Amino acid sequence: MRTTIGYTLESIGYVVGAQGLVSFGSQTFFGTEWGWLHKIVDLPSAAYLGILAAGLALVLTGVRTRKAPARRKIA
């Protein structure tokens, strides 16, 4: 179960982080809107960096959860 949760959190983190990065880059360097996140919320460029950080936190949590050693019950 731990492995499944780890992979799920990690996958969601990659999507969220990529959307934050793409949205930040497009607003900052090109003055346009890319990705699908701007269709949901209208945020300033700095807020998209926070979304990128949240995505990275999800990825790290997923990796840590996935690599956690299984607890063994001693009978």
Side-chain angles (χ1 to χ4, degrees), residues 33-42 48:
E33 298 287 342
W34 295 348
W36 54 264
L37 198 55
H38 74 278
K39 295 179 182 184
I40 300 170
V41 293
D42 187 27
Y48 288 119

Side-chain angles (χ1 to χ4, degrees), residues 1-6 65:
M1 183 71 172
R2 225 180 252 188
T3 304
T4 303
I5 293 171
T65 302

Side-chain angles (χ1 to χ4, degrees), residues 45-61:
S45 295
Y48 288 119
L49 288 178
I51 292 173
L52 172 62
L56 290 175
L58 284 172
V59 169
L60 292 176
T61 302

Side-chain angles (χ1 to χ4, degrees), residues 8-37:
T8 302
L9 284 177
E10 191 175 351
S11 300
I12 293 169
Y14 283 126
V15 172
V16 170
Q19 286 299 315
L21 180 65
V22 166
S23 296
F24 172 76
S26 67
Q27 266 191 353
T28 303
F29 299 114
F30 301 104
T32 61
E33 298 287 342
W34 295 348
W36 54 264
L37 198 55

